[in-house]
Amino acid sequence: AVVSTQSTGKILDISGCMLKELPGTIKNLGNIEVLSAARNKITEIPVEIEQLGTLRTLNLDGNLLTELPDFLSRCHSLRKLSVKNNRIGVICDEVPMMEGGW
């Protein structure tokens, strides 16, 4: 895992760590702006993501996601969501299209 504090904010990169889930304690990350959890085995996006009020970029490429939950529509600071190479068959109507698509 790589945690970096830069002038633009905080970045957490937990890509390729063989995680099966993002822990509920992720809500404690405070002012994180970029979360990359690509190339894991994550099957669902935890509702606690909604509590990351400064999260601008969420990268979940290469996981085992099957749907995008409706609570993502309440993540008002989220500008980029990347979920390439997953198993997504359901995208809730409430989830808006992000910059650059899915």
Side-chain angles (χ1 to χ4, degrees):
V2 176
V3 179
S4 173
T5 303
Q6 300 176 354
S7 60
T8 58
K10 295 180 184 177
I11 299 169
L12 176 61
D13 186 347
I14 50 175
S15 298
C17 291
M18 302 301 288
L19 299 174
K20 293 182 179 177
E21 64 183 13
L22 290 173
T25 54
I26 201 156
K27 65 184 177 190
N28 299 330
L29 291 178
N31 294 325
I32 192 165
E33 292 183 11
V34 177
L35 173 57
S36 182
R39 300 179 321 278
N40 282 292
K41 297 185 180 301
I42 298 167
T43 58
E44 64 183 6
I45 302 172
V47 69
E48 288 83 4
I49 289 287
E50 180 183 357
Q51 296 177 32
L52 299 177
T54 58
L55 185 65
R56 297 182 55 78
T57 301
L58 178 58
N59 180 352
L60 293 168
D61 292 346
N63 278 285
L64 302 174
L65 299 172
T66 58
E67 66 180 348
L68 293 180
D70 63 346
F71 65 79
L72 288 176
S73 66
R74 296 187 297 271
C75 297
H76 300 292
S77 63
L78 191 61
R79 296 292 174 256
K80 183 175 181 185
L81 172 64
S82 189
V83 290
K84 298 175 196 153
N85 299 317
N86 277 280
R87 300 175 180 173
I88 296 174
V90 176
I91 298 176
C92 178
D93 291 338
E94 301 294 317
V95 180
M97 183 64 80
M98 302 287 170
E99 291 176 10
W102 304 116

